[in-house]
Amino acid sequence: MTRRILILYTGGTIGMVPSEQGYVPAAGFEGRLRQHIGHHLASAHQPLPDFAVQELDTLIDSANVQPDDWRTIASTLHQNWHQYDGFVVLHGTDTMAYSASMLSFMLQGLDKPVVFTGSQIPLEQPRTDALSNLTTSLMLAARDDLFEVVLYFDGKLLRGNRSSKRHSIGFGAFGSPNFPALGEVGIYFDLRNELLLPAGQPGAVIPHFNTSDVAIQPVYPGLQANVLEAVLSTNPKGLVLQSYGVGNPPDGNTELMSLLEQASRQGIVVINLSQCQQGPVIQGAYATGSMLNTIGVVSGSDLTLEAAFTKLHWLLAQGLSPEQVRHQLPQPVRGECSGNTRPA
Ligand code: ASP
């Protein structure tokens, strides 16, 4: 039976057109796409699945994505869930890893694929990578063995909540720093079945977000307490701390450390991530990091920044207590982390 896919176009380079200020999003993607791939649809040896295209009312450069946009994307997929066999979300590359991560949490268990993709060069420009990313994503979305939010780009199939944008101009824009690719696509589709999540019960959790609930604070040589103070004055309920190496903050700055302790005591959930491009946090492997264990800072395991930030947002938006959020943050929900399994 022919499978039917919904393509949701949210904006991003893939559908952009040139303007005097540089590329801008443009409406009418379906007509432009069909014009481009019409002959593939008519005479293909390997036909593409049937598809419909919906586009959001406000198309964005994904640099402008807001937590509310995640609600819009999730609700659109949720409303159309039973009408289609799979979904392709066309999204700008800048924040695609954030949105794919968040969607994996919001949509929970899946019984069909959700594939995020986009391109580095717009559909209608020479040398575009849009067609190969989009047509391959359509085929991935039509599979009956994918039950998760994935990101497909330039021959690589990645778990959405493990992905991260790693190249600003290369076609291979995405990596999965702490988890292997789920598959490679060349002439053939080569998926690693042992890594794929099993089918789940659809049960979306799509809460309302408070934009200022989560903040991010990187540490750097010379970071002063008043910088963190300014961040905390925006009243976040959660803070992603990006420390060094295996999770080491500058503990010599006692003012900074007592501010963190105070924040944590007052119910702000702090999660500690590494600034390294790869590898987990092992909080307490060094004395510099061990203090964080005593003040209730959650060790971020091998979560990407995108997955940690969105998971924290998603848990807080459900009105859970700080203790509940601290407990749930390091536990894998949709394969986003390995958990804190390594002793310090
Ligand atoms: N600025 C664009 C966006 O994220 C980049 C892209 O799509 O590749 O929407």
Side-chain angles (χ1 to χ4, degrees):
M1 211 178 63
T2 320
R3 295 174 83 80
R4 210 167 140 64
I5 310 301
L6 178 66
I7 298 176
L8 178 62
Y9 171 51
T10 69
T13 295
I14 192 162
M16 286 191 184
V17 294
S19 80
E20 274 176 17
Q21 286 78 39
Y23 285 131
V24 289
F29 187 78
E30 177 162 17
R32 297 192 275 138
L33 175 65
R34 290 200 186 271
Q35 208 174 2
H36 244 76
I37 59 170
H39 59 286
H40 291 300
L41 298 176
S43 63
H45 165 60
Q46 273 192 316
L48 288 174
D50 272 355
F51 64 86
V53 181
Q54 266 193 37
E55 55 188 47
L56 295 186
D57 295 340
T58 310
L59 300 168
I60 57 167
D61 183 309
S62 79
N64 284 313
V65 87
Q66 296 291 323
D68 266 353
D69 296 317
W70 297 325
R71 268 183 63 79
T72 309
I73 298 171
S75 309
T76 309
L77 299 189
H78 189 54
Q79 280 155 17
N80 286 283
W81 200 256
H82 299 296
Q83 280 88 277
Y84 294 93
D85 299 300
F87 299 87
V88 173
V89 180
L90 301 180
H91 196 289
T93 59
D94 288 348
T95 56
M96 193 187 298
Y98 284 91
S99 297
S101 297
M102 181 54 108
L103 264 286
S104 78
F105 302 129
M106 291 170 111
L107 294 177
Q108 294 282 290
L110 298 189
D111 55 1
K112 49 189 78 163
V114 173
V115 186
F116 273 73
T117 196
S119 70
Q120 292 282 57
I121 298 180
L123 175 72
E124 284 135 323
Q125 296 299 315
R127 297 180 58 245
T128 184
D129 51 335
L131 272 187
S132 64
N133 284 345
L134 177 46
T135 50
T136 303
S137 295
L138 274 172
M139 289 185 167
L140 287 164
R143 289 179 74 103
D144 59 8
D145 59 354
L146 264 183
F147 308 108
E148 52 184 298
V149 176
V150 293
L151 188 154
Y152 175 75
F153 220 89
D154 192 42
K156 288 220 167 344
L157 179 66
L158 310 175
R159 176 161 295 151
N161 58 31
R162 291 285 196 163
S163 68
S164 193
K165 186 169 179 182
R166 67 170 179 194
H167 207 302
S168 59
I169 57 171
F171 284 135
F174 289 91
S176 176
N178 292 327
F179 197 72
L182 301 181
E184 308 272 339
V185 183
I187 292 178
Y188 299 104
F189 287 71
D190 196 2
L191 268 54
R192 291 187 58 183
N193 294 323
E194 75 283 7
L195 298 178
L196 306 180
L197 293 181
Q201 242 347 59
V205 180
I206 308 176
H208 284 274
F209 295 102
N210 188 351
T211 306
S212 57
D213 268 0
V214 183
I216 300 175
Q217 176 66 64
V219 305
Y220 49 85
L223 169 64
Q224 296 299 300
N226 60 3
V227 174
L228 179 60
E229 217 158 27
V231 170
L232 295 176
S233 73
T234 63
N235 294 324
K237 292 187 183 145
L239 179 75
V240 180
L241 180 74
Q242 291 181 292
S243 63
Y244 302 121
V246 288
N248 306 316
D251 72 333
N253 185 335
T254 49
E255 215 188 325
L256 184 74
M257 296 311 282
S258 54
L259 196 59
L260 265 182
E261 179 174 12
Q262 201 184 317
S264 183
R265 219 178 327 108
Q266 285 168 353
I268 297 176
V269 178
V270 185
I271 182 167
N272 181 24
L273 291 193
S274 174
Q275 290 178 20
C276 291
Q277 288 167 15
Q278 211 169 357
V281 164
I282 307 169
Q283 200 166 270
Y286 292 86
T288 41
S290 69
M291 185 219 171
L292 298 179
N293 287 326
T294 65
I295 62 170
V297 170
V298 179
S299 172
S301 171
D302 53 2
L303 284 163
T304 59
L305 171 65
E306 296 88 337
F309 178 84
T310 53
K311 191 173 181 184
L312 188 49
H313 245 304
W314 178 70
L315 290 171
L316 289 168
Q318 291 170 64
L320 303 176
S321 70
E323 262 330 298
Q324 287 170 316
V325 176
R326 285 187 187 116
H327 176 72
Q328 290 192 30
L329 260 179
Q331 323 265 4
V333 177
R334 296 298 297 156
E336 72 279 12
C337 62
S338 314
N340 287 319
T341 48
R342 237 177 263 250

